Amino acid sequence: MTAAPPCEQDPDAPAAARSILVIDDSEVQRRHAVRLCFELGALEVHEACHGRQALEVLARLSALPSLIIVDLEMPEMDGIELIEVLQQQGVRIPIVLLSGHGDALLDSVQTMGASVVRGLRKPLERADLQGVLREVLSPAEPVIERRRAPHLPIDPPMLVEALRSGGIVPHFQPKVDTRTGLLRGVEALARWQHPLLGMVPPDEFIPMAERMGLIHDLTRTMVEQSFAQCAAWQSRGMRLTLAINMSPQLLANPDIFGEICAQQVRHGLSPSQVVLEITEGSMVETSSAAHSALVRLRLRGFGLSIDDYGTGFSSLQQLSRIPFTELKIDRSFVHGAHRRKSLRVILESALELARRLQLSTVAEGVEHLEDWRLLQDFGCTTAQGWLIAKAMPPEELPGWNRAHGARLATLRAAP
């Protein structure tokens, strides 16, 4: 079924969606949702009574809808089963869930797939739908990085050549003070722009480097380039902290302590400017040699951060064993926390734990101003994410920082 738009639409509505599919076995609630969609600028709204009918509608359409609104409880095929079928078919459409059940159930279902963008309580409210449309149609930051062709896989010789020729370079993501919005530091992130394959995702080439025994070479080039760049900014009056990821496999290397210290001295950086990030999940297998290296680096004055906090199973144990100075909260507990009670509780608990342990805190994955405000309320120290900026080549950072000054009034915490 396809409904026709009403004559008048809200002039303040978000940018119009090309089309929306509303799936609800209650005709009253379905018609209410359809009316709201048109009022908020939808150009075309399709309807279905249950999941199977929705699949039939999708099969008939020449173009997929911009958004699907689906009730969780329906006959013949409920919302959960529909989501699973769409995932199996490779259909990636933003999905809004509707349910009369509590937020805990909606939060649980929302974790089923990346396509689920929001869970809302029934009956659907105009303000809630308006917020969803703004989020879906006007994302905080478009994905502009070019992806490689899926049929051209990378292989070990390509990685060896990239390391030899300097094809893997650091990009830098800003880290800002959550009270003032001011730039405090950067995280160095490895980027490989292959001339033929495009941008190779780090989650592909970094594990390959570890398997091939090349993680030392990769980290060495990242440390050298990142330290040199940080020193160059500093010579121009831009003193920043630098966070760089370290593999526990590398920390077990007896030479790593000396190499990091030598680079720090060579480039005239203070050890306190450098934060070494160690992923929490990987710490389970940390050897005694790696543990010793971390303690020695901390004694030298380097900062130690437990990265992706909350994603592993040994968080408290690691915090008691290793002299961390910073707790970095994984984006899965930050993104969307302003609208999910369970995430808010976990986020607040982690920040309170860090405060009591006298650790600085970093929240990653901040994409919405509402999550930013939540971090301010909970006392987070610094934050990074696409609300602030994506990772960028080093030459872009000074210009970004100058332009960022215009946003400080919006980002600053209320006195």
Side-chain angles (χ1 to χ4, degrees):
M1 294 178 283
T2 303
C7 297
E8 297 184 2
Q9 294 183 343
D10 184 355
D12 297 323
R18 182 174 68 253
S19 66
I20 297 176
L21 172 59
V22 178
I23 312 164
D24 197 322
D25 62 310
S26 167
E27 183 176 0
V28 173
Q29 300 201 59
R30 190 173 68 249
R31 297 305 302 166
H32 169 68
V34 169
R35 178 176 59 79
L36 288 182
C37 290
F38 279 128
E39 287 179 359
L40 292 171
L43 303 180
E44 188 176 51
V45 181
H46 307 279
E47 301 178 44
C49 299
H50 49 73
R52 296 193 188 284
Q53 189 176 71
L55 293 174
E56 294 172 0
V57 171
L58 290 172
R60 291 197 303 268
L61 294 177
S62 58
L64 292 174
S66 306
L67 181 74
I68 293 178
I69 300 173
V70 56
D71 183 18
L72 280 181
E73 297 179 278
M74 297 180 296
E76 296 193 43
M77 179 183 284
D78 60 34
I80 295 175
E81 187 178 0
L82 174 62
I83 292 171
E84 292 175 340
V85 171
L86 292 176
Q87 289 177 335
Q88 291 168 4
Q89 294 180 351
V91 177
R92 295 292 180 265
I93 307 172
I95 296 172
V96 175
L97 306 174
L98 295 179
S99 175
H101 289 281
D103 293 337
L105 177 63
L106 285 170
D107 289 351
S108 178
V109 180
Q110 191 169 342
T111 63
M112 290 177 57
S115 295
V116 180
V117 296
R118 188 79 68 87
L120 300 176
R121 297 289 298 272
K122 295 178 71 173
L124 182 63
E125 298 291 338
R126 176 191 178 91
D128 291 335
L129 180 57
Q130 188 172 37
V132 170
L133 292 177
R134 290 192 189 281
E135 178 178 332
V136 172
L137 302 175
S138 303
E141 181 84 27
V143 178
I144 60 174
E145 291 182 338
R146 192 160 54 93
R147 289 291 183 183
R148 65 181 180 87
H151 60 284
L152 294 174
I154 61 171
D155 57 33
M158 290 180 182
L159 180 57
V160 172
E161 174 59 23
L163 289 170
R164 186 196 64 80
S165 63
I168 298 178
V169 300
H171 283 198
F172 298 89
Q173 185 169 38
K175 299 168 67 174
V176 300
D177 188 301
T178 53
R179 293 176 298 104
T180 64
L182 291 171
L183 177 65
R184 295 303 185 203
V186 293
E187 179 182 3
L189 299 167
R191 293 292 183 262
W192 179 10
Q193 182 72 42
H194 192 278
L196 298 178
L197 307 184
M199 187 66 74
V200 182
D203 58 4
E204 291 190 19
F205 70 81
I206 292 177
M208 178 178 287
E210 290 181 326
R211 291 194 303 270
M212 295 175 60
L214 295 173
I215 193 63
H216 195 165
D217 293 336
L218 174 58
T219 304
R220 183 188 294 116
T221 187
M222 287 292 294
V223 167
E224 290 176 354
Q225 295 181 70
S226 300
F227 281 31
Q229 183 58 60
C230 200
W233 285 325
Q234 188 163 285
S235 69
R236 298 195 292 269
M238 197 173 174
R239 190 178 192 276
L240 300 172
T241 62
L242 171 68
I244 191 162
N245 293 279
M246 302 295 291
S247 165
Q249 180 185 124
L250 175 63
L251 289 169
N253 188 303
D255 299 326
I256 193 62
F257 173 80
E259 290 180 4
I260 292 176
C261 292
Q263 290 292 335
Q264 167 255 317
V265 171
R266 175 188 173 193
H267 293 290
L269 301 180
S270 165
S272 62
Q273 285 179 260
V274 180
V275 179
L276 306 174
E277 295 188 355
I278 300 92
T279 302
E280 178 203 333
S282 64
M283 291 300 296
V284 176
E285 301 176 359
T286 300
S287 66
S288 59
H291 189 182
S292 174
L294 289 172
V295 173
R296 293 180 68 200
L297 287 164
R298 180 69 198 112
L299 283 172
R300 184 67 175 248
F302 292 91
L304 300 180
S305 176
I306 182 166
D307 194 9
D308 296 338
Y309 178 81
T311 60
F313 300 98
S314 57
S315 312
L316 299 179
Q317 181 187 30
Q318 299 303 341
L319 284 172
S320 68
R321 290 178 59 239
I322 296 170
F324 287 107
T325 59
E326 178 183 277
L327 186 151
K328 188 171 186 181
I329 303 172
D330 185 71
R331 74 178 310 278
S332 62
F333 299 109
V334 177
H335 179 68
H338 69 277
R339 60 174 181 262
R340 295 179 60 184
K341 181 179 179 181
S342 59
L343 293 186
R344 288 196 301 275
V345 171
I346 294 170
L347 179 60
E348 185 174 20
S349 298
L351 292 171
E352 173 63 15
L353 174 66
R355 185 189 67 79
R356 299 184 71 168
L357 290 174
Q358 298 183 312
L359 304 177
S360 62
T361 48
V362 180
E364 60 181 351
V366 183
E367 297 183 13
H368 303 293
L369 187 60
E370 294 89 346
D371 290 332
W372 171 265
R373 296 294 183 216
L374 201 63
L375 293 169
Q376 290 175 323
D377 292 342
F378 291 165
C380 186
T381 311
T382 55
Q384 63 188 91
W386 280 13
L387 175 68
I388 306 303
K390 65 182 180 69
M392 63 189 74
E395 62 271 15
E396 294 182 11
L397 188 71
W400 170 85
N401 194 34
R402 289 191 293 270
H404 178 67
R407 306 177 60 201
L408 295 181
T410 301
L411 295 175
R412 280 179 176 144

